[in-house]
Amino acid sequence: MTRFLARRLGYLLVTLLVTSLLIFLITQLLPGDVARVILGREASEPALQALRERLGLTRPAPVQYLTWLVAFLRGDWGTSFATEQAIRPLVLERLGNSLMLAGLTLAIAVPLAIALGVAAALRAGRWPDAVISVASLAVVGLPEFVTGLVLIEVFAFRLRWLPANASIAPEAGFLEALPMLILPALTATLVLLAYIARLTRASVLEELGRAYVRTAVLKGLPPRVVLVRHVLRNALLPTVTVVAISVGWLISGLIVVENVFNYPGLGRLLTFAIDRRDVPLLQAISLVAVLAFALANLVADVLYAVLNPRIRLG
Protein backbone atom coordinates (compact mmCIF):
# COMPACT_ATOMS: atom_id res chain seq x y z
CA MET A 1 0.00 0.00 0.00
CA THR A 2 2.91 2.36 0.74
CA ARG A 3 4.36 1.89 -2.76
CA PHE A 4 0.91 2.39 -4.24
CA LEU A 5 0.49 5.71 -2.41
CA ALA A 6 4.00 6.82 -3.32
CA ARG A 7 3.34 6.21 -7.02
CA ARG A 8 0.05 8.09 -6.88
CA LEU A 9 1.64 11.03 -5.07
CA GLY A 10 4.37 11.11 -7.71
CA TYR A 11 1.74 11.24 -10.46
CA LEU A 12 -0.03 14.04 -8.60
CA LEU A 13 3.13 16.16 -8.38
CA VAL A 14 3.92 15.67 -12.07
CA THR A 15 0.32 16.54 -12.96
CA LEU A 16 0.47 19.75 -10.95
CA LEU A 17 3.79 20.76 -12.51
CA VAL A 18 2.55 20.20 -16.07
CA THR A 19 -0.75 21.89 -15.30
CA SER A 20 0.96 24.95 -13.82
CA LEU A 21 2.93 25.34 -17.05
CA LEU A 22 -0.23 25.01 -19.15
CA ILE A 23 -2.07 27.53 -16.98
CA PHE A 24 0.77 30.02 -17.35
CA LEU A 25 0.95 29.55 -21.13
CA ILE A 26 -2.81 29.89 -21.59
CA THR A 27 -2.98 33.07 -19.52
CA GLN A 28 -0.11 34.52 -21.55
CA LEU A 29 -2.07 33.86 -24.76
CA LEU A 30 -5.20 35.66 -23.58
CA PRO A 31 -6.12 38.59 -25.85
CA GLY A 32 -5.79 42.13 -24.62
CA ASP A 33 -3.24 44.14 -22.67
CA VAL A 34 -3.30 43.82 -18.90
CA ALA A 35 -1.85 47.29 -18.45
CA ARG A 36 -4.51 48.75 -20.75
CA VAL A 37 -7.26 46.97 -18.82
CA ILE A 38 -6.00 48.37 -15.51
CA LEU A 39 -5.30 51.97 -16.59
CA GLY A 40 -8.04 52.33 -19.19
CA ARG A 41 -8.12 53.34 -22.83
CA GLU A 42 -6.97 56.91 -22.22
CA ALA A 43 -3.70 55.93 -20.56
CA SER A 44 -0.52 57.16 -22.22
CA GLU A 45 2.09 54.80 -23.59
CA PRO A 46 4.76 55.81 -20.99
CA ALA A 47 2.30 55.07 -18.20
CA LEU A 48 1.43 51.71 -19.77
CA GLN A 49 5.09 50.79 -20.17
CA ALA A 50 5.87 51.76 -16.59
CA LEU A 51 3.03 49.57 -15.32
CA ARG A 52 4.15 46.64 -17.47
CA GLU A 53 7.64 46.90 -15.97
CA ARG A 54 6.27 47.18 -12.44
CA LEU A 55 4.13 44.07 -12.94
CA GLY A 56 7.04 42.15 -14.47
CA LEU A 57 5.29 41.72 -17.82
CA THR A 58 8.34 42.79 -19.81
CA ARG A 59 10.54 39.96 -18.55
CA PRO A 60 11.04 36.79 -20.62
CA ALA A 61 8.21 34.26 -20.30
CA PRO A 62 10.37 31.50 -18.68
CA VAL A 63 11.53 33.96 -16.01
CA GLN A 64 7.93 35.02 -15.37
CA TYR A 65 6.83 31.39 -15.04
CA LEU A 66 9.57 30.35 -12.64
CA THR A 67 9.13 33.49 -10.55
CA TRP A 68 5.38 32.90 -10.31
CA LEU A 69 5.69 29.17 -9.51
CA VAL A 70 8.36 29.61 -6.81
CA ALA A 71 6.42 32.46 -5.20
CA PHE A 72 3.21 30.41 -5.32
CA LEU A 73 4.87 27.45 -3.61
CA ARG A 74 6.17 29.80 -0.91
CA GLY A 75 2.64 31.09 -0.28
CA ASP A 76 3.01 34.41 -2.07
CA TRP A 77 0.22 34.30 -4.66
CA GLY A 78 0.61 37.93 -5.67
CA THR A 79 -1.80 40.85 -5.70
CA SER A 80 -5.00 41.12 -7.69
CA PHE A 81 -4.80 43.55 -10.59
CA ALA A 82 -8.47 44.44 -10.25
CA THR A 83 -8.87 44.87 -6.49
CA GLU A 84 -5.23 45.33 -5.38
CA GLN A 85 -5.88 42.80 -2.61
CA ALA A 86 -3.63 39.93 -1.64
CA ILE A 87 -4.78 36.92 -3.69
CA ARG A 88 -4.06 34.12 -1.23
CA PRO A 89 -6.53 35.05 1.55
CA LEU A 90 -9.19 35.94 -1.02
CA VAL A 91 -8.90 32.61 -2.87
CA LEU A 92 -8.70 30.57 0.35
CA GLU A 93 -11.82 32.27 1.70
CA ARG A 94 -13.75 31.49 -1.49
CA LEU A 95 -12.31 27.97 -1.53
CA GLY A 96 -13.65 27.40 1.97
CA ASN A 97 -17.09 28.51 0.83
CA SER A 98 -16.95 26.20 -2.19
CA LEU A 99 -15.84 23.29 -0.01
CA MET A 100 -18.82 23.81 2.29
CA LEU A 101 -21.20 23.76 -0.67
CA ALA A 102 -19.44 20.79 -2.28
CA GLY A 103 -19.43 18.83 0.97
CA LEU A 104 -23.15 19.34 1.57
CA THR A 105 -23.94 18.48 -2.06
CA LEU A 106 -21.96 15.24 -1.90
CA ALA A 107 -23.51 14.34 1.46
CA ILE A 108 -26.96 14.62 -0.16
CA ALA A 109 -26.28 13.44 -3.71
CA VAL A 110 -24.05 10.39 -3.26
CA PRO A 111 -26.12 8.33 -0.75
CA LEU A 112 -29.37 9.27 -2.50
CA ALA A 113 -28.07 8.45 -5.98
CA ILE A 114 -26.55 5.13 -4.86
CA ALA A 115 -29.78 4.17 -3.10
CA LEU A 116 -31.84 5.03 -6.19
CA GLY A 117 -29.43 3.16 -8.47
CA VAL A 118 -29.50 0.05 -6.31
CA ALA A 119 -33.31 0.20 -6.02
CA ALA A 120 -33.64 0.53 -9.81
CA ALA A 121 -31.24 -2.38 -10.41
CA LEU A 122 -33.04 -4.69 -7.95
CA ARG A 123 -36.34 -3.91 -9.70
CA ALA A 124 -35.02 -3.75 -13.24
CA GLY A 125 -37.74 -3.77 -15.87
CA ARG A 126 -40.50 -2.95 -13.39
CA TRP A 127 -42.25 0.30 -12.60
CA PRO A 128 -39.83 1.51 -9.85
CA ASP A 129 -36.97 1.24 -12.33
CA ALA A 130 -38.91 3.19 -14.96
CA VAL A 131 -39.97 5.91 -12.50
CA ILE A 132 -36.44 6.42 -11.18
CA SER A 133 -34.93 6.53 -14.68
CA VAL A 134 -37.50 8.90 -16.15
CA ALA A 135 -37.57 11.24 -13.14
CA SER A 136 -33.78 11.49 -12.84
CA LEU A 137 -33.28 12.09 -16.56
CA ALA A 138 -36.05 14.69 -16.63
CA VAL A 139 -34.40 16.63 -13.81
CA VAL A 140 -30.86 16.45 -15.16
CA GLY A 141 -32.08 17.66 -18.55
CA LEU A 142 -33.06 21.02 -17.10
CA PRO A 143 -30.47 23.83 -17.07
CA GLU A 144 -29.11 24.61 -13.62
CA PHE A 145 -30.53 28.13 -13.56
CA VAL A 146 -34.02 26.75 -14.29
CA THR A 147 -33.76 24.19 -11.49
CA GLY A 148 -32.45 26.84 -9.11
CA LEU A 149 -35.23 29.30 -9.93
CA VAL A 150 -37.89 26.61 -9.46
CA LEU A 151 -36.47 25.70 -6.05
CA ILE A 152 -36.36 29.37 -5.07
CA GLU A 153 -39.98 29.85 -6.14
CA VAL A 154 -41.21 26.79 -4.21
CA PHE A 155 -39.11 26.74 -1.04
CA ALA A 156 -38.27 30.44 -0.62
CA PHE A 157 -41.24 32.39 -1.96
CA ARG A 158 -44.20 30.04 -1.53
CA LEU A 159 -43.35 27.81 1.43
CA ARG A 160 -40.91 30.33 2.98
CA TRP A 161 -38.82 27.53 4.44
CA LEU A 162 -35.42 28.60 3.13
CA PRO A 163 -33.72 31.88 2.10
CA ALA A 164 -33.54 32.62 -1.62
CA ASN A 165 -30.19 34.40 -1.30
CA ALA A 166 -27.04 32.47 -0.38
CA SER A 167 -24.80 35.48 0.12
CA ILE A 168 -23.14 34.28 3.32
CA ALA A 169 -21.03 36.50 5.53
CA PRO A 170 -17.22 36.32 5.25
CA GLU A 171 -15.70 33.60 7.44
CA ALA A 172 -19.16 32.20 8.23
CA GLY A 173 -19.07 28.73 9.78
CA PHE A 174 -20.85 25.74 8.30
CA LEU A 175 -23.71 25.70 10.80
CA GLU A 176 -24.25 29.43 10.40
CA ALA A 177 -24.30 29.15 6.62
CA LEU A 178 -26.28 25.89 6.46
CA PRO A 179 -29.77 27.39 5.86
CA MET A 180 -28.42 29.37 2.90
CA LEU A 181 -26.51 26.37 1.52
CA ILE A 182 -29.47 24.02 1.20
CA LEU A 183 -31.04 25.37 -2.00
CA PRO A 184 -27.73 25.67 -3.92
CA ALA A 185 -26.79 22.17 -2.72
CA LEU A 186 -30.14 20.76 -3.86
CA THR A 187 -29.69 22.40 -7.26
CA ALA A 188 -26.24 20.83 -7.69
CA THR A 189 -27.58 17.52 -6.35
CA LEU A 190 -30.24 17.34 -9.04
CA VAL A 191 -27.52 17.80 -11.67
CA LEU A 192 -25.43 14.91 -10.31
CA LEU A 193 -28.26 12.59 -9.34
CA ALA A 194 -29.05 11.00 -12.71
CA TYR A 195 -25.41 10.35 -13.66
CA ILE A 196 -24.49 8.62 -10.42
CA ALA A 197 -27.81 6.75 -10.11
CA ARG A 198 -27.75 5.36 -13.67
CA LEU A 199 -24.09 4.38 -13.43
CA THR A 200 -24.76 2.61 -10.12
CA ARG A 201 -27.78 0.83 -11.63
CA ALA A 202 -25.76 -0.43 -14.59
CA SER A 203 -22.85 -1.58 -12.40
CA VAL A 204 -25.12 -3.36 -9.90
CA LEU A 205 -27.00 -5.14 -12.72
CA GLU A 206 -23.70 -6.29 -14.21
CA GLU A 207 -22.45 -7.63 -10.88
CA LEU A 208 -25.75 -9.37 -10.08
CA GLY A 209 -25.31 -11.47 -13.22
CA ARG A 210 -21.86 -12.74 -12.29
CA ALA A 211 -21.13 -16.30 -11.18
CA TYR A 212 -19.81 -15.40 -7.73
CA VAL A 213 -23.16 -13.79 -6.84
CA ARG A 214 -25.08 -16.91 -7.85
CA THR A 215 -22.64 -19.00 -5.82
CA ALA A 216 -23.15 -16.80 -2.76
CA VAL A 217 -26.93 -17.08 -3.11
CA LEU A 218 -26.78 -20.87 -3.51
CA LYS A 219 -24.68 -21.09 -0.35
CA GLY A 220 -27.60 -19.56 1.53
CA LEU A 221 -26.17 -16.11 2.29
CA PRO A 222 -28.88 -13.54 3.07
CA PRO A 223 -29.67 -11.17 0.15
CA ARG A 224 -28.53 -8.13 2.16
CA VAL A 225 -25.14 -9.70 2.86
CA VAL A 226 -24.70 -10.61 -0.81
CA LEU A 227 -25.61 -7.09 -1.87
CA VAL A 228 -23.51 -5.17 0.65
CA ARG A 229 -20.43 -7.36 1.00
CA HIS A 230 -20.09 -8.63 -2.54
CA VAL A 231 -22.12 -6.75 -5.14
CA LEU A 232 -21.65 -3.16 -3.96
CA ARG A 233 -17.97 -3.67 -3.21
CA ASN A 234 -17.33 -4.16 -6.93
CA ALA A 235 -20.23 -2.18 -8.40
CA LEU A 236 -19.23 1.06 -6.70
CA LEU A 237 -15.81 1.26 -8.38
CA PRO A 238 -17.08 3.25 -11.42
CA THR A 239 -19.22 5.39 -9.10
CA VAL A 240 -16.13 6.39 -7.14
CA THR A 241 -14.59 7.73 -10.36
CA VAL A 242 -17.66 9.80 -11.21
CA VAL A 243 -17.81 11.24 -7.69
CA ALA A 244 -14.10 12.15 -7.83
CA ILE A 245 -14.59 13.96 -11.14
CA SER A 246 -17.64 15.72 -9.71
CA VAL A 247 -15.59 17.15 -6.84
CA GLY A 248 -13.59 19.33 -9.23
CA TRP A 249 -16.79 20.60 -10.82
CA LEU A 250 -18.37 21.27 -7.43
CA ILE A 251 -15.40 23.34 -6.27
CA SER A 252 -14.75 25.52 -9.31
CA GLY A 253 -17.45 24.76 -11.87
CA LEU A 254 -20.64 25.80 -10.06
CA ILE A 255 -20.60 29.15 -11.83
CA VAL A 256 -24.28 29.13 -12.82
CA VAL A 257 -25.49 27.89 -9.43
CA GLU A 258 -23.37 30.43 -7.54
CA ASN A 259 -24.65 33.28 -9.71
CA VAL A 260 -28.30 32.24 -9.34
CA PHE A 261 -28.04 32.20 -5.55
CA ASN A 262 -25.43 34.98 -5.25
CA TYR A 263 -23.12 32.55 -3.46
CA PRO A 264 -19.52 33.78 -2.91
CA GLY A 265 -17.71 30.68 -4.11
CA LEU A 266 -14.64 30.01 -6.21
CA GLY A 267 -16.68 29.83 -9.43
CA ARG A 268 -17.94 33.41 -9.12
CA LEU A 269 -14.43 34.60 -8.30
CA LEU A 270 -13.22 32.86 -11.46
CA THR A 271 -15.73 34.73 -13.64
CA PHE A 272 -14.68 37.97 -11.92
CA ALA A 273 -11.03 37.31 -12.79
CA ILE A 274 -11.88 36.47 -16.41
CA ASP A 275 -14.06 39.55 -16.88
CA ARG A 276 -11.31 41.86 -15.63
CA ARG A 277 -8.42 39.92 -17.13
CA ASP A 278 -6.90 39.60 -13.68
CA VAL A 279 -4.11 37.22 -14.66
CA PRO A 280 -2.56 36.52 -11.21
CA LEU A 281 -5.98 35.84 -9.71
CA LEU A 282 -6.94 33.64 -12.67
CA GLN A 283 -3.71 31.65 -12.36
CA ALA A 284 -4.16 31.12 -8.62
CA ILE A 285 -7.79 29.97 -8.93
CA SER A 286 -6.97 27.61 -11.79
CA LEU A 287 -4.07 25.98 -9.95
CA VAL A 288 -6.10 25.60 -6.75
CA ALA A 289 -8.94 24.02 -8.72
CA VAL A 290 -6.54 21.58 -10.37
CA LEU A 291 -5.05 20.72 -6.98
CA ALA A 292 -8.53 19.99 -5.61
CA PHE A 293 -9.33 17.83 -8.62
CA ALA A 294 -6.01 15.94 -8.28
CA LEU A 295 -6.54 15.33 -4.56
CA ALA A 296 -10.07 14.06 -5.25
CA ASN A 297 -8.66 11.60 -7.77
CA LEU A 298 -6.00 10.52 -5.28
CA VAL A 299 -8.75 9.76 -2.75
CA ALA A 300 -10.60 7.86 -5.49
CA ASP A 301 -7.47 5.77 -6.18
CA VAL A 302 -7.16 4.94 -2.48
CA LEU A 303 -10.82 3.93 -2.32
CA TYR A 304 -10.27 1.79 -5.41
CA ALA A 305 -7.44 0.02 -3.63
CA VAL A 306 -9.57 -0.50 -0.51
CA LEU A 307 -12.57 -1.84 -2.45
CA ASN A 308 -10.42 -3.99 -4.75
CA PRO A 309 -6.98 -4.87 -3.27
CA ARG A 310 -5.88 -6.34 -6.62
CA ILE A 311 -5.51 -2.78 -7.95
CA ARG A 312 -2.57 -2.19 -5.61
CA LEU A 313 -0.68 -4.95 -7.40
CA GLY A 314 -1.06 -3.24 -10.80
Side-chain angles (χ1 to χ4, degrees), residues 96-105 108 151 162-168 172-189 254 257-258 261 263-265:
N97 294 342
S98 293
L99 288 174
M100 286 195 296
L101 180 56
L104 182 59
T105 302
I108 299 172
L151 292 177
L162 297 167
N165 192 310
S167 182
I168 63 175
F174 179 75
L175 293 179
E176 180 184 350
L178 181 59
M180 290 174 281
L181 290 172
I182 293 176
L183 286 184
L186 288 177
T187 304
T189 294
L254 286 178
V257 175
E258 291 179 0
F261 292 95
Y263 186 72

Short mmCIF file of all heavy atoms in Angstrom, two decimals, residues 96-105 108 151 162-168 172-189 254 257-258 261 263-265:
data_model
loop_
_atom_site.label_atom_id
_atom_site.label_comp_id
_atom_site.label_asym_id
_atom_site.label_seq_id
_atom_site.Cartn_x
_atom_site.Cartn_y
_atom_site.Cartn_z
N GLY A 96 -12.92 27.94 0.82
CA GLY A 96 -13.65 27.40 1.97
C GLY A 96 -15.15 27.40 1.75
O GLY A 96 -15.84 26.43 2.10
N ASN A 97 -15.66 28.47 1.14
CA ASN A 97 -17.09 28.51 0.83
C ASN A 97 -17.48 27.42 -0.17
O ASN A 97 -18.52 26.75 -0.01
CB ASN A 97 -17.46 29.88 0.25
CG ASN A 97 -17.31 31.00 1.27
OD1 ASN A 97 -17.26 30.75 2.47
ND2 ASN A 97 -17.24 32.23 0.80
N SER A 98 -16.65 27.24 -1.20
CA SER A 98 -16.95 26.20 -2.19
C SER A 98 -16.87 24.81 -1.58
O SER A 98 -17.67 23.92 -1.94
CB SER A 98 -15.97 26.32 -3.37
OG SER A 98 -16.18 27.51 -4.09
N LEU A 99 -15.94 24.60 -0.66
CA LEU A 99 -15.84 23.29 -0.01
C LEU A 99 -17.06 23.00 0.85
O LEU A 99 -17.52 21.85 0.92
CB LEU A 99 -14.56 23.22 0.83
CG LEU A 99 -13.25 23.12 0.05
CD1 LEU A 99 -12.06 23.21 1.00
CD2 LEU A 99 -13.19 21.82 -0.74
N MET A 100 -17.60 24.03 1.50
CA MET A 100 -18.82 23.81 2.29
C MET A 100 -19.97 23.39 1.38
O MET A 100 -20.70 22.45 1.69
CB MET A 100 -19.19 25.09 3.05
CG MET A 100 -18.32 25.39 4.23
SD MET A 100 -19.03 26.64 5.35
CE MET A 100 -19.06 28.08 4.27
N LEU A 101 -20.13 24.09 0.26
CA LEU A 101 -21.20 23.76 -0.67
C LEU A 101 -20.98 22.39 -1.30
O LEU A 101 -21.92 21.59 -1.42
CB LEU A 101 -21.30 24.83 -1.75
CG LEU A 101 -22.39 24.64 -2.81
CD1 LEU A 101 -23.76 24.50 -2.17
CD2 LEU A 101 -22.37 25.80 -3.80
N ALA A 102 -19.75 22.09 -1.68
CA ALA A 102 -19.44 20.79 -2.28
C ALA A 102 -19.67 19.66 -1.30
O ALA A 102 -20.21 18.60 -1.65
CB ALA A 102 -18.00 20.78 -2.79
N GLY A 103 -19.25 19.87 -0.05
CA GLY A 103 -19.43 18.83 0.97
C GLY A 103 -20.90 18.51 1.22
O GLY A 103 -21.29 17.35 1.31
N LEU A 104 -21.73 19.56 1.34
CA LEU A 104 -23.15 19.34 1.57
C LEU A 104 -23.79 18.67 0.35
O LEU A 104 -24.63 17.77 0.50
CB LEU A 104 -23.84 20.67 1.87
CG LEU A 104 -25.34 20.59 2.17
CD1 LEU A 104 -25.61 19.71 3.38
CD2 LEU A 104 -25.92 21.98 2.39
N THR A 105 -23.39 19.08 -0.85
CA THR A 105 -23.94 18.48 -2.06
C THR A 105 -23.60 17.00 -2.14
O THR A 105 -24.47 16.16 -2.44
CB THR A 105 -23.39 19.20 -3.31
OG1 THR A 105 -23.74 20.58 -3.25
CG2 THR A 105 -23.95 18.59 -4.58
N ILE A 108 -25.58 14.87 0.27
CA ILE A 108 -26.96 14.62 -0.16
C ILE A 108 -26.99 13.74 -1.39
O ILE A 108 -27.74 12.75 -1.46
CB ILE A 108 -27.69 15.95 -0.44
CG1 ILE A 108 -27.76 16.82 0.81
CG2 ILE A 108 -29.09 15.69 -0.98
CD1 ILE A 108 -28.30 18.22 0.56
N LEU A 151 -36.64 25.95 -7.49
CA LEU A 151 -36.47 25.70 -6.05
C LEU A 151 -36.66 26.98 -5.24
O LEU A 151 -37.25 26.95 -4.15
CB LEU A 151 -35.09 25.10 -5.79
CG LEU A 151 -34.84 23.69 -6.32
CD1 LEU A 151 -33.41 23.25 -6.05
CD2 LEU A 151 -35.82 22.69 -5.69
N LEU A 162 -36.86 28.37 3.28
CA LEU A 162 -35.42 28.60 3.13
C LEU A 162 -35.18 29.96 2.47
O LEU A 162 -36.02 30.45 1.72
CB LEU A 162 -34.80 27.50 2.26
CG LEU A 162 -34.86 26.08 2.82
CD1 LEU A 162 -34.52 25.06 1.75
CD2 LEU A 162 -33.94 25.92 4.02
N PRO A 163 -34.02 30.58 2.74
CA PRO A 163 -33.72 31.88 2.10
C PRO A 163 -33.40 31.70 0.61
O PRO A 163 -32.81 30.69 0.21
CB PRO A 163 -32.49 32.36 2.87
CG PRO A 163 -31.87 31.13 3.43
CD PRO A 163 -32.99 30.18 3.72
N ALA A 164 -33.81 32.68 -0.18
CA ALA A 164 -33.54 32.62 -1.62
C ALA A 164 -32.13 33.07 -1.95
O ALA A 164 -31.58 32.71 -2.99
CB ALA A 164 -34.55 33.50 -2.37
N ASN A 165 -31.52 33.85 -1.07
CA ASN A 165 -30.19 34.40 -1.30
C ASN A 165 -29.17 33.64 -0.46
O ASN A 165 -29.38 33.43 0.74
CB ASN A 165 -30.17 35.89 -0.95
CG ASN A 165 -28.92 36.57 -1.45
OD1 ASN A 165 -27.81 36.12 -1.22
ND2 ASN A 165 -29.10 37.68 -2.16
N ALA A 166 -28.08 33.22 -1.09
CA ALA A 166 -27.04 32.47 -0.38
C ALA A 166 -25.78 33.30 -0.19
O ALA A 166 -24.68 32.77 -0.14
CB ALA A 166 -26.72 31.19 -1.14
N SER A 167 -25.95 34.60 -0.07
CA SER A 167 -24.80 35.48 0.12
C SER A 167 -24.37 35.44 1.58
O SER A 167 -24.79 36.26 2.41
CB SER A 167 -25.16 36.92 -0.31
OG SER A 167 -24.05 37.76 -0.17
N ILE A 168 -23.54 34.48 1.93
CA ILE A 168 -23.14 34.28 3.32
C ILE A 168 -22.10 35.32 3.73
O ILE A 168 -21.40 35.89 2.89
CB ILE A 168 -22.58 32.86 3.54
CG1 ILE A 168 -21.31 32.64 2.72
CG2 ILE A 168 -23.63 31.82 3.19
CD1 ILE A 168 -20.65 31.30 2.97
N ALA A 172 -18.02 32.85 7.58
CA ALA A 172 -19.16 32.20 8.23
C ALA A 172 -18.88 30.72 8.39
O ALA A 172 -18.36 30.07 7.47
CB ALA A 172 -20.43 32.42 7.40
N GLY A 173 -19.24 30.16 9.55
CA GLY A 173 -19.07 28.73 9.78
C GLY A 173 -20.13 27.93 9.06
O GLY A 173 -21.12 28.45 8.55
N PHE A 174 -19.93 26.60 9.04
CA PHE A 174 -20.85 25.74 8.30
C PHE A 174 -22.26 25.79 8.88
O PHE A 174 -23.24 25.92 8.14
CB PHE A 174 -20.33 24.30 8.32
CG PHE A 174 -21.23 23.33 7.60
CD1 PHE A 174 -21.28 23.30 6.21
CD2 PHE A 174 -22.05 22.47 8.31
CE1 PHE A 174 -22.11 22.41 5.55
CE2 PHE A 174 -22.89 21.58 7.66
CZ PHE A 174 -22.92 21.56 6.28
N LEU A 175 -22.39 25.70 10.19
CA LEU A 175 -23.71 25.70 10.80
C LEU A 175 -24.42 27.03 10.59
O LEU A 175 -25.64 27.08 10.38
CB LEU A 175 -23.61 25.38 12.30
CG LEU A 175 -23.14 23.96 12.64
CD1 LEU A 175 -23.07 23.78 14.15
CD2 LEU A 175 -24.08 22.92 12.03
N GLU A 176 -23.66 28.11 10.63
CA GLU A 176 -24.25 29.43 10.40
C GLU A 176 -24.73 29.58 8.96
O GLU A 176 -25.77 30.19 8.69
CB GLU A 176 -23.22 30.51 10.72
CG GLU A 176 -23.72 31.94 10.52
CD GLU A 176 -22.64 32.96 10.75
OE1 GLU A 176 -21.55 32.59 11.26
OE2 GLU A 176 -22.87 34.15 10.42
N ALA A 177 -23.96 29.02 8.04
CA ALA A 177 -24.30 29.15 6.62
C ALA A 177 -25.26 28.08 6.12
O ALA A 177 -25.78 28.20 5.01
CB ALA A 177 -23.02 29.11 5.78
N LEU A 178 -25.51 27.04 6.93
CA LEU A 178 -26.28 25.89 6.46
C LEU A 178 -27.64 26.24 5.86
O LEU A 178 -27.99 25.74 4.78
CB LEU A 178 -26.45 24.88 7.61
CG LEU A 178 -27.22 23.60 7.26
CD1 LEU A 178 -26.51 22.86 6.12
CD2 LEU A 178 -27.34 22.70 8.49
N PRO A 179 -28.47 27.09 6.49
CA PRO A 179 -29.77 27.39 5.86
C PRO A 179 -29.65 27.98 4.46
O PRO A 179 -30.50 27.72 3.60
CB PRO A 179 -30.40 28.40 6.84
CG PRO A 179 -29.72 28.16 8.14
CD PRO A 179 -28.32 27.77 7.80
N MET A 180 -28.60 28.75 4.21
CA MET A 180 -28.42 29.37 2.90
C MET A 180 -27.74 28.44 1.90
O MET A 180 -27.71 28.71 0.70
CB MET A 180 -27.62 30.67 3.03
CG MET A 180 -28.39 31.78 3.73
SD MET A 180 -27.38 33.26 4.06
CE MET A 180 -26.47 32.73 5.50
N LEU A 181 -27.18 27.33 2.40
CA LEU A 181 -26.51 26.37 1.52
C LEU A 181 -27.46 25.33 0.94
O LEU A 181 -27.14 24.69 -0.07
CB LEU A 181 -25.39 25.65 2.28
CG LEU A 181 -24.15 26.45 2.66
CD1 LEU A 181 -23.26 25.62 3.56
CD2 LEU A 181 -23.40 26.89 1.43
N ILE A 182 -28.62 25.16 1.56
CA ILE A 182 -29.47 24.02 1.20
C ILE A 182 -29.97 24.11 -0.24
O ILE A 182 -29.88 23.14 -1.00
CB ILE A 182 -30.64 23.91 2.20
CG1 ILE A 182 -30.09 23.53 3.58
CG2 ILE A 182 -31.64 22.85 1.72
CD1 ILE A 182 -31.16 23.49 4.67
N LEU A 183 -30.51 25.26 -0.64
CA LEU A 183 -31.04 25.37 -2.00
C LEU A 183 -29.95 25.25 -3.07
O LEU A 183 -30.15 24.53 -4.06
CB LEU A 183 -31.82 26.68 -2.15
CG LEU A 183 -33.19 26.74 -1.47
CD1 LEU A 183 -33.89 28.05 -1.79
CD2 LEU A 183 -34.06 25.56 -1.91
N PRO A 184 -28.79 25.92 -2.94
CA PRO A 184 -27.73 25.67 -3.92
C PRO A 184 -27.28 24.21 -3.95
O PRO A 184 -27.02 23.66 -5.02
CB PRO A 184 -26.60 26.59 -3.47
CG PRO A 184 -27.26 27.65 -2.67
CD PRO A 184 -28.43 27.00 -2.01
N ALA A 185 -27.21 23.57 -2.76
CA ALA A 185 -26.79 22.17 -2.72
C ALA A 185 -27.82 21.26 -3.39
O ALA A 185 -27.47 20.32 -4.10
CB ALA A 185 -26.57 21.74 -1.27
N LEU A 186 -29.10 21.55 -3.20
CA LEU A 186 -30.14 20.76 -3.86
C LEU A 186 -30.09 20.94 -5.37
O LEU A 186 -30.29 19.98 -6.13
CB LEU A 186 -31.52 21.15 -3.33
CG LEU A 186 -31.86 20.71 -1.91
CD1 LEU A 186 -33.24 21.23 -1.50
CD2 LEU A 186 -31.83 19.18 -1.81
N THR A 187 -29.81 22.15 -5.82
CA THR A 187 -29.69 22.40 -7.26
C THR A 187 -28.54 21.59 -7.85
O THR A 187 -28.69 20.94 -8.90
CB THR A 187 -29.46 23.90 -7.53
OG1 THR A 187 -30.52 24.65 -6.94
CG2 THR A 187 -29.41 24.18 -9.01
N ALA A 188 -27.38 21.61 -7.20
CA ALA A 188 -26.24 20.83 -7.69
C ALA A 188 -26.51 19.33 -7.57
O ALA A 188 -26.08 18.54 -8.42
CB ALA A 188 -24.98 21.21 -6.91
N THR A 189 -27.24 18.93 -6.53
CA THR A 189 -27.58 17.52 -6.35
C THR A 189 -28.41 17.00 -7.51
O THR A 189 -28.18 15.89 -8.03
CB THR A 189 -28.35 17.32 -5.03
OG1 THR A 189 -27.48 17.62 -3.93
CG2 THR A 189 -28.84 15.89 -4.89
N LEU A 254 -19.25 25.45 -10.37
CA LEU A 254 -20.64 25.80 -10.06
C LEU A 254 -20.91 27.28 -10.35
O LEU A 254 -21.50 27.98 -9.53
CB LEU A 254 -20.95 25.49 -8.59
CG LEU A 254 -21.12 24.01 -8.24
CD1 LEU A 254 -21.37 23.86 -6.75
CD2 LEU A 254 -22.27 23.39 -9.02
N VAL A 257 -24.80 28.03 -10.71
CA VAL A 257 -25.49 27.89 -9.43
C VAL A 257 -25.11 29.02 -8.49
O VAL A 257 -25.96 29.62 -7.81
CB VAL A 257 -25.16 26.52 -8.78
CG1 VAL A 257 -25.77 26.42 -7.39
CG2 VAL A 257 -25.67 25.39 -9.67
N GLU A 258 -23.83 29.36 -8.43
CA GLU A 258 -23.37 30.43 -7.54
C GLU A 258 -23.94 31.78 -7.95
O GLU A 258 -24.24 32.61 -7.10
CB GLU A 258 -21.84 30.46 -7.52
CG GLU A 258 -21.22 29.27 -6.82
CD GLU A 258 -19.71 29.28 -6.82
OE1 GLU A 258 -19.13 30.24 -7.37
OE2 GLU A 258 -19.11 28.33 -6.30
N PHE A 261 -27.80 32.00 -6.98
CA PHE A 261 -28.04 32.20 -5.55
C PHE A 261 -27.14 33.26 -4.93
O PHE A 261 -27.15 33.44 -3.71
CB PHE A 261 -27.85 30.87 -4.81
CG PHE A 261 -28.88 29.83 -5.14
CD1 PHE A 261 -28.65 28.88 -6.12
CD2 PHE A 261 -30.10 29.82 -4.49
CE1 PHE A 261 -29.60 27.93 -6.44
CE2 PHE A 261 -31.06 28.87 -4.79
CZ PHE A 261 -30.82 27.93 -5.77
N TYR A 263 -23.97 33.23 -4.44
CA TYR A 263 -23.12 32.55 -3.46
C TYR A 263 -21.65 32.91 -3.72
O TYR A 263 -21.16 32.77 -4.84
CB TYR A 263 -23.30 31.04 -3.55
CG TYR A 263 -22.57 30.28 -2.48
CD1 TYR A 263 -22.99 30.32 -1.16
CD2 TYR A 263 -21.44 29.54 -2.79
CE1 TYR A 263 -22.31 29.63 -0.17
CE2 TYR A 263 -20.75 28.84 -1.82
CZ TYR A 263 -21.19 28.90 -0.51
OH TYR A 263 -20.50 28.22 0.48
N PRO A 264 -20.92 33.36 -2.71
CA PRO A 264 -19.52 33.78 -2.91
C PRO A 264 -18.55 32.60 -2.92
O PRO A 264 -17.77 32.41 -1.98
CB PRO A 264 -19.28 34.70 -1.70
CG PRO A 264 -20.17 34.14 -0.63
CD PRO A 264 -21.39 33.61 -1.33
N GLY A 265 -18.60 31.83 -3.99
CA GLY A 265 -17.71 30.68 -4.11
C GLY A 265 -16.58 30.93 -5.08
O GLY A 265 -16.42 32.03 -5.64
#
